[in-house]
């Protein structure tokens, strides 16, 4: 399993999304950006911080679940 898979699963859970496309709409990121992150097997830390602020969760909490 790629390391990004657990992060994406957590983000889908936090956004109550069933699909990556739905999650992208909620997080306001282009689907192509998500595709690049998947190809690189990494989401930039800056973006993860933005998502944690937007979703009202601690980065520490997010890392525990990854």
């Amino acid at each position: 399993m790629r390391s990004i898979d657990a992060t994406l699963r957590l983000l889908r859970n936090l956004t109550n999304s069933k699909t990556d496309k739905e999650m992208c709409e909620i997080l306001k990121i282009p689907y192509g950006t998500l595709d690049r992150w998947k190809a690189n097997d990494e989401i930039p830390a800056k973006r993860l911080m933005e998502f944690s602020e937007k979703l009202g969760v601690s980065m520490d909490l997010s890392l525990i679940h990854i």
Side-chain angles (χ1 to χ4, degrees), residues 7 11 14-15 23-24 26-30 33 37 43-60 62:
T7 305
L11 285 171
L14 290 170
T15 58
M23 179 186 66
C24 286
I26 292 168
L27 294 175
K28 301 194 183 314
I29 57 171
T33 298
W37 293 343
I43 299 175
K46 179 181 176 183
R47 296 308 295 265
L48 288 173
M49 288 175 40
E50 290 173 16
F51 300 153
S52 71
E53 289 176 16
K54 179 179 182 123
L55 298 170
V57 296
S58 165
M59 281 294 291
D60 292 335
S62 298

